[in-house]
Amino acid sequence: MFDWLKKVTKEVKDLNISVNSYQKDTVIQSLPTIAYVNRAKKALEQGNLAEAENILKKALDISQQDPLVYRYLGKINEKQGKFSQAVDYYTKSAKINPQDKEVWLRLGMSQLNSKLIEESITSFEKANKVSPMNTDVYTGWGMALMRLKKYKLARDKFLTAVKINKYNYTAILLSAVMEVRLCDYESAEMKLAFLTKVAPNESSTYEYANLKLLKANYKEAEMYATKSININPQMLPSYFILGEIYSITHNLEKTEKTFRIALSNDLENSTLHYEWGKAYLRFYDDDKAQEQFELALQMEPDFIEAKAGLALTQAYKQNFAILDGLKEKYGENLYIQEALGLEKYHNGQYEDAAEMFKKVIRTDDKQTYNYLNLAKTYSKLNDKVKTREYFDKFTLHNPQYLKGLVEYSKWLIEISDFADAQRKLRKAEKLDNKNTEILNMMFYCSYKLVKDNICEYNVKEAISIADRIKPFEAFKYPTEYNELKVILENLQKEK
């Protein structure tokens, strides 16, 4: 009797141990984990991410095979910007339940934010199989292709996203951005004009400003960039657009003011200083450009574009040390190409120099300083036609740049075209009427022209130019001046 009771008691005890063991090891514990997930969801809705995460980790103690636990852990980490951890959790969730349409989308977006671009494309493809024609999936898919610079494919995905949901303004905006990249400005214009009317925000107004800038519509580009900043003063790229507009249109005061406002809004970074340096290059102020590029490199030592800008400013000072370390690997950079042109010019390789300067202009016709470089190069090649052509192009694009007019005038004097030189010098004088170099050249041209056409008025005009040079010791042509004085006296005696 007692032996029988002992045996039954032992079997019940063993059964309890087995049940406990089963509860610990089983892979199907849906009911308890669902309760934890529901509690975590409530905490998430209230914004208590830490509490939600703790609840879900407790759920893992019950079962490590519930896909919802991993999905919500992924969601929490994604919200916190911990994208690599989010990828791990979403991946585990997707392995357990590969039919979850939500998890593949979130996995793809987290991979995208973790720069796992190829992997994100795979996730979006799987999301599309599980849930075909989902506007968010196609938007994310397009973003991944955009990162790979597959702009045409990306645009197609964004357009599909818009077909699925015409109110997907993000997809409309991104499709317009792709069309800008593909130089389909007309289609981009329609989309961006629509967005800035129905859903204006800092991004759509910025992109519209960028399109207007590309189309050289500077007035409207300025308007939309300003709108973007008014919506969000932290929209740094819009400051860059304004800086570019003002520097292209040669407004130094507004250019510097724009970048200083960005600094005052705590937007200082390496890119800001790089863009500021680019703006100074458009004013042909190599020293200030160099300062900005150096500041950019202090903040980001491996900033290749800033290194290229610095290499260019040094090349104009005939220092090619920085260029030597960049030209092999970064030969497609416009500043490197311009610097290479200067190096070849310095070495007497004028034909090669001309080709480099032309290459820069073909790539970006706003790099107008290269017209002056080309004029100087063809002057060395004794090609008068091309020299004049490129001087004319430079002064057309840069009518307020004194150095260009002076260089042009010097060359015209060299080839004895004193009449045209005088015309250029008069324009230069309006920019700086006390510049002794300009006044000296004006006198010399007038002297030469007077000798060909002597009359009292012309002689007096030439003499008056010399009399304006202060101090008079800066005057370079006293012999010619005295000669004109004698001519004037003789003309007056003849009256």
Side-chain angles (χ1 to χ4, degrees), residues 294-310:
E294 287 173 342
L295 286 170
L297 288 167
Q298 285 175 19
M299 301 182 80
E300 189 180 340
D302 295 325
F303 194 167
I304 296 303
E305 287 78 7
K307 284 184 180 180
L310 187 59

Side-chain angles (χ1 to χ4, degrees), residues 28-44:
I28 305 173
Q29 287 291 311
S30 58
L31 285 176
T33 55
I34 281 176
Y36 278 98
V37 168
N38 287 334
R39 283 176 56 202
K41 283 170 68 177
K42 286 183 180 179
L44 266 175

Side-chain angles (χ1 to χ4, degrees), residues 36-218:
Y36 278 98
V37 168
N38 287 334
R39 283 176 56 202
K41 283 170 68 177
K42 286 183 180 179
L44 266 175
E45 288 168 3
Q46 295 167 357
N48 298 324
L49 301 184
E51 182 185 344
E53 187 171 18
N54 288 333
I55 292 169
L56 291 167
K57 285 183 176 178
K58 287 178 182 177
L60 289 177
D61 293 335
I62 298 172
S63 170
Q64 296 182 2
Q65 293 298 316
D66 189 328
L68 285 176
V69 174
Y70 291 115
R71 193 222 279 178
Y72 279 100
L73 280 169
K75 188 173 184 178
I76 290 167
N77 280 272
E78 188 180 2
K79 281 181 175 289
Q80 293 174 324
K82 300 176 182 177
F83 298 112
S84 58
Q85 293 97 316
V87 167
D88 290 340
Y89 284 124
Y90 284 137
T91 300
K92 288 177 181 177
S93 180
K95 282 182 179 177
I96 298 169
N97 182 14
Q99 298 306 309
D100 185 341
K101 61 182 181 181
E102 174 70 17
V103 78
W104 286 116
L105 170 61
R106 299 319 319 159
L107 175 57
M109 294 305 298
S110 296
Q111 288 168 329
L112 190 58
N113 284 305
S114 300
K115 298 182 181 179
L116 302 170
I117 312 302
E118 297 289 354
E119 292 87 340
S120 72
I121 289 174
T122 300
S123 295
F124 291 126
E125 288 171 347
K126 289 182 178 179
N128 189 50
K129 287 179 181 177
V130 174
S131 177
M133 301 305 286
N134 180 299
T135 190
D136 294 329
V137 169
Y138 274 93
T139 302
W141 201 345
M143 291 169 69
L145 291 165
M146 181 172 71
R147 293 277 185 90
L148 293 176
K149 297 185 178 180
K150 296 181 179 180
Y151 300 135
K152 189 174 181 181
L153 290 173
R155 179 191 60 180
D156 292 343
K157 299 301 179 190
F158 294 135
L159 291 176
T160 302
V162 175
K163 285 179 183 177
I164 299 166
N165 179 6
K166 65 180 180 180
Y167 299 108
N168 186 338
Y169 294 143
T170 299
I172 296 172
L173 175 62
L174 292 174
S175 65
V177 172
M178 292 303 93
E179 285 164 350
V180 171
R181 297 284 194 282
L182 295 165
C183 299
D184 186 356
Y185 294 160
E186 187 175 344
S187 294
E189 174 93 27
M190 291 173 60
K191 292 180 178 66
L192 292 170
F194 167 75
L195 287 173
T196 53
K197 287 179 181 177
V198 301
N201 58 34
E202 66 268 37
S203 298
S204 60
T205 49
Y206 159 74
E207 292 295 347
Y208 205 14
N210 185 52
L211 176 59
K212 296 293 185 181
L213 175 61
L214 290 169
K215 296 172 75 172
N217 187 338
Y218 300 131

Side-chain angles (χ1 to χ4, degrees), residues 443 446-447 449-465 467 481 483-495:
F443 170 81
S446 295
Y447 166 78
L449 292 169
V450 163
K451 294 297 291 290
D452 292 334
N453 182 21
I454 294 176
C455 73
E456 186 175 346
Y457 176 82
N458 290 342
V459 175
K460 282 183 176 180
E461 186 180 15
I463 291 171
S464 70
I465 295 170
D467 290 340
Y481 178 80
E483 184 181 345
L484 290 179
K485 281 281 192 178
V486 172
I487 291 171
L488 180 61
E489 288 175 8
N490 291 333
L491 287 171
Q492 290 174 338
K493 286 177 183 178
E494 292 173 2
K495 283 185 178 181

